[in-house]
PDB file of all heavy atoms in Angstrom:
ATOM      1  N   HIS A  63      13.664   2.199  10.011  1.00  0.00           N
ATOM      2  CA  HIS A  63      12.426   1.742   9.399  1.00  0.00           C
ATOM      3  C   HIS A  63      11.750   0.781  10.382  1.00  0.00           C
ATOM      4  O   HIS A  63      12.313  -0.260  10.695  1.00  0.00           O
ATOM      5  CB  HIS A  63      12.685   0.974   8.098  1.00  0.00           C
ATOM      6  CG  HIS A  63      13.546   1.722   7.110  1.00  0.00           C
ATOM      7  ND1 HIS A  63      13.028   2.429   6.064  1.00  0.00           N
ATOM      8  CD2 HIS A  63      14.902   1.813   7.015  1.00  0.00           C
ATOM      9  CE1 HIS A  63      14.033   2.934   5.335  1.00  0.00           C
ATOM     10  NE2 HIS A  63      15.178   2.587   5.902  1.00  0.00           N
ATOM     11  N   VAL A  64      10.557   1.101  10.841  1.00  0.00           N
ATOM     12  CA  VAL A  64       9.774   0.195  11.678  1.00  0.00           C
ATOM     13  C   VAL A  64       8.740  -0.443  10.748  1.00  0.00           C
ATOM     14  O   VAL A  64       7.813   0.215  10.288  1.00  0.00           O
ATOM     15  CB  VAL A  64       9.100   0.922  12.851  1.00  0.00           C
ATOM     16  CG1 VAL A  64       8.290  -0.053  13.695  1.00  0.00           C
ATOM     17  CG2 VAL A  64      10.155   1.622  13.694  1.00  0.00           C
ATOM     18  N   MET A  65       8.924  -1.730  10.481  1.00  0.00           N
ATOM     19  CA  MET A  65       8.159  -2.398   9.426  1.00  0.00           C
ATOM     20  C   MET A  65       7.031  -3.247   9.951  1.00  0.00           C
ATOM     21  O   MET A  65       7.106  -3.759  11.068  1.00  0.00           O
ATOM     22  CB  MET A  65       9.113  -3.252   8.562  1.00  0.00           C
ATOM     23  CG  MET A  65      10.194  -2.437   7.893  1.00  0.00           C
ATOM     24  SD  MET A  65      11.374  -3.437   6.966  1.00  0.00           S
ATOM     25  CE  MET A  65      12.395  -2.188   6.235  1.00  0.00           C
ATOM     26  N   SER A  66       6.009  -3.394   9.132  1.00  0.00           N
ATOM     27  CA  SER A  66       4.839  -4.187   9.502  1.00  0.00           C
ATOM     28  C   SER A  66       4.869  -5.522   8.778  1.00  0.00           C
ATOM     29  O   SER A  66       5.267  -5.593   7.607  1.00  0.00           O
ATOM     30  CB  SER A  66       3.576  -3.409   9.097  1.00  0.00           C
ATOM     31  OG  SER A  66       2.422  -4.206   9.274  1.00  0.00           O
ATOM     32  N   GLY A  67       4.465  -6.557   9.480  1.00  0.00           N
ATOM     33  CA  GLY A  67       4.509  -7.888   8.893  1.00  0.00           C
ATOM     34  C   GLY A  67       3.506  -8.147   7.797  1.00  0.00           C
ATOM     35  O   GLY A  67       3.691  -9.019   6.952  1.00  0.00           O
ATOM     36  N   ASN A  68       2.414  -7.380   7.770  1.00  0.00           N
ATOM     37  CA  ASN A  68       1.362  -7.645   6.784  1.00  0.00           C
ATOM     38  C   ASN A  68       1.602  -6.964   5.459  1.00  0.00           C
ATOM     39  O   ASN A  68       0.841  -7.187   4.502  1.00  0.00           O
ATOM     40  CB  ASN A  68      -0.012  -7.269   7.356  1.00  0.00           C
ATOM     41  CG  ASN A  68      -0.120  -5.803   7.745  1.00  0.00           C
ATOM     42  OD1 ASN A  68       0.826  -5.054   7.568  1.00  0.00           O
ATOM     43  ND2 ASN A  68      -1.251  -5.426   8.274  1.00  0.00           N
ATOM     44  N   THR A  69       2.617  -6.113   5.359  1.00  0.00           N
ATOM     45  CA  THR A  69       2.890  -5.423   4.090  1.00  0.00           C
ATOM     46  C   THR A  69       4.382  -5.450   3.808  1.00  0.00           C
ATOM     47  O   THR A  69       5.054  -4.410   3.847  1.00  0.00           O
ATOM     48  CB  THR A  69       2.384  -3.971   4.150  1.00  0.00           C
ATOM     49  OG1 THR A  69       2.954  -3.330   5.295  1.00  0.00           O
ATOM     50  CG2 THR A  69       0.865  -3.909   4.221  1.00  0.00           C
ATOM     51  N   PRO A  70       4.937  -6.606   3.445  1.00  0.00           N
ATOM     52  CA  PRO A  70       6.373  -6.692   3.189  1.00  0.00           C
ATOM     53  C   PRO A  70       6.804  -5.840   2.018  1.00  0.00           C
ATOM     54  O   PRO A  70       7.947  -5.311   1.989  1.00  0.00           O
ATOM     55  CB  PRO A  70       6.603  -8.181   2.905  1.00  0.00           C
ATOM     56  CG  PRO A  70       5.258  -8.722   2.530  1.00  0.00           C
ATOM     57  CD  PRO A  70       4.272  -7.909   3.313  1.00  0.00           C
ATOM     58  N   HIS A  71       5.921  -5.634   1.026  1.00  0.00           N
ATOM     59  CA  HIS A  71       6.318  -4.821  -0.126  1.00  0.00           C
ATOM     60  C   HIS A  71       6.557  -3.358   0.293  1.00  0.00           C
ATOM     61  O   HIS A  71       7.429  -2.711  -0.233  1.00  0.00           O
ATOM     62  CB  HIS A  71       5.250  -4.897  -1.230  1.00  0.00           C
ATOM     63  CG  HIS A  71       3.880  -4.477  -0.802  1.00  0.00           C
ATOM     64  ND1 HIS A  71       3.130  -5.179   0.109  1.00  0.00           N
ATOM     65  CD2 HIS A  71       3.137  -3.402  -1.137  1.00  0.00           C
ATOM     66  CE1 HIS A  71       1.962  -4.586   0.307  1.00  0.00           C
ATOM     67  NE2 HIS A  71       1.943  -3.502  -0.425  1.00  0.00           N
ATOM     68  N   ALA A  72       5.769  -2.872   1.251  1.00  0.00           N
ATOM     69  CA  ALA A  72       5.961  -1.493   1.726  1.00  0.00           C
ATOM     70  C   ALA A  72       7.302  -1.381   2.435  1.00  0.00           C
ATOM     71  O   ALA A  72       8.031  -0.384   2.280  1.00  0.00           O
ATOM     72  CB  ALA A  72       4.819  -1.094   2.658  1.00  0.00           C
ATOM     73  N   GLY A  73       7.669  -2.381   3.248  1.00  0.00           N
ATOM     74  CA  GLY A  73       8.951  -2.365   3.904  1.00  0.00           C
ATOM     75  C   GLY A  73      10.107  -2.401   2.913  1.00  0.00           C
ATOM     76  O   GLY A  73      11.111  -1.691   3.089  1.00  0.00           O
ATOM     77  N   LEU A  74       9.957  -3.227   1.880  1.00  0.00           N
ATOM     78  CA  LEU A  74      11.014  -3.305   0.864  1.00  0.00           C
ATOM     79  C   LEU A  74      11.170  -1.978   0.118  1.00  0.00           C
ATOM     80  O   LEU A  74      12.276  -1.521  -0.133  1.00  0.00           O
ATOM     81  CB  LEU A  74      10.710  -4.428  -0.130  1.00  0.00           C
ATOM     82  CG  LEU A  74      10.936  -5.858   0.363  1.00  0.00           C
ATOM     83  CD1 LEU A  74      10.365  -6.860  -0.628  1.00  0.00           C
ATOM     84  CD2 LEU A  74      12.427  -6.107   0.572  1.00  0.00           C
ATOM     85  N   GLN A  75      10.033  -1.351  -0.226  1.00  0.00           N
ATOM     86  CA  GLN A  75      10.101  -0.080  -0.934  1.00  0.00           C
ATOM     87  C   GLN A  75      10.790   0.976  -0.052  1.00  0.00           C
ATOM     88  O   GLN A  75      11.610   1.775  -0.531  1.00  0.00           O
ATOM     89  CB  GLN A  75       8.697   0.393  -1.326  1.00  0.00           C
ATOM     90  CG  GLN A  75       8.099  -0.357  -2.483  1.00  0.00           C
ATOM     91  CD  GLN A  75       6.772   0.246  -2.935  1.00  0.00           C
ATOM     92  OE1 GLN A  75       6.087   0.920  -2.169  1.00  0.00           O
ATOM     93  NE2 GLN A  75       6.400  -0.012  -4.166  1.00  0.00           N
ATOM     94  N   SER A  76      10.485   0.979   1.242  1.00  0.00           N
ATOM     95  CA  SER A  76      11.083   1.963   2.131  1.00  0.00           C
ATOM     96  C   SER A  76      12.600   1.732   2.248  1.00  0.00           C
ATOM     97  O   SER A  76      13.389   2.685   2.216  1.00  0.00           O
ATOM     98  CB  SER A  76      10.438   1.844   3.528  1.00  0.00           C
ATOM     99  OG  SER A  76      10.855   2.881   4.381  1.00  0.00           O
ATOM    100  N   LEU A  77      13.004   0.470   2.328  1.00  0.00           N
ATOM    101  CA  LEU A  77      14.432   0.155   2.388  1.00  0.00           C
ATOM    102  C   LEU A  77      15.129   0.551   1.109  1.00  0.00           C
ATOM    103  O   LEU A  77      16.246   1.130   1.137  1.00  0.00           O
ATOM    104  CB  LEU A  77      14.618  -1.337   2.648  1.00  0.00           C
ATOM    105  CG  LEU A  77      16.048  -1.868   2.607  1.00  0.00           C
ATOM    106  CD1 LEU A  77      16.947  -1.139   3.619  1.00  0.00           C
ATOM    107  CD2 LEU A  77      16.079  -3.372   2.870  1.00  0.00           C
ATOM    108  N   ILE A  78      14.518   0.281  -0.028  1.00  0.00           N
ATOM    109  CA  ILE A  78      15.121   0.676  -1.311  1.00  0.00           C
ATOM    110  C   ILE A  78      15.314   2.177  -1.370  1.00  0.00           C
ATOM    111  O   ILE A  78      16.359   2.672  -1.811  1.00  0.00           O
ATOM    112  CB  ILE A  78      14.237   0.164  -2.491  1.00  0.00           C
ATOM    113  CG1 ILE A  78      14.340  -1.357  -2.590  1.00  0.00           C
ATOM    114  CG2 ILE A  78      14.665   0.824  -3.807  1.00  0.00           C
ATOM    115  CD1 ILE A  78      13.349  -1.955  -3.587  1.00  0.00           C
ATOM    116  N   ARG A  79      14.329   2.932  -0.923  1.00  0.00           N
ATOM    117  CA  ARG A  79      14.483   4.398  -0.934  1.00  0.00           C
ATOM    118  C   ARG A  79      15.615   4.843  -0.026  1.00  0.00           C
ATOM    119  O   ARG A  79      16.380   5.737  -0.371  1.00  0.00           O
ATOM    120  CB  ARG A  79      13.158   5.047  -0.517  1.00  0.00           C
ATOM    121  CG  ARG A  79      12.007   4.820  -1.489  1.00  0.00           C
ATOM    122  CD  ARG A  79      10.731   5.416  -0.966  1.00  0.00           C
ATOM    123  NE  ARG A  79       9.596   5.054  -1.800  1.00  0.00           N
ATOM    124  CZ  ARG A  79       8.470   4.500  -1.358  1.00  0.00           C
ATOM    125  NH1 ARG A  79       8.334   4.220  -0.068  1.00  0.00           N
ATOM    126  NH2 ARG A  79       7.500   4.185  -2.188  1.00  0.00           N
ATOM    127  N   GLY A  80      15.708   4.210   1.139  1.00  0.00           N
ATOM    128  CA  GLY A  80      16.801   4.557   2.057  1.00  0.00           C
ATOM    129  C   GLY A  80      18.157   4.294   1.467  1.00  0.00           C
ATOM    130  O   GLY A  80      19.091   5.102   1.607  1.00  0.00           O
TER     131      GLY A  80
END
Side-chain angles (χ1 to χ4, degrees):
H63 308 262
V64 180
M65 300 177 176
S66 173
N68 58 2
T69 54
H71 57 292
L74 285 171
Q75 286 186 337
S76 188
L77 175 57
I78 289 171
R79 294 176 188 128

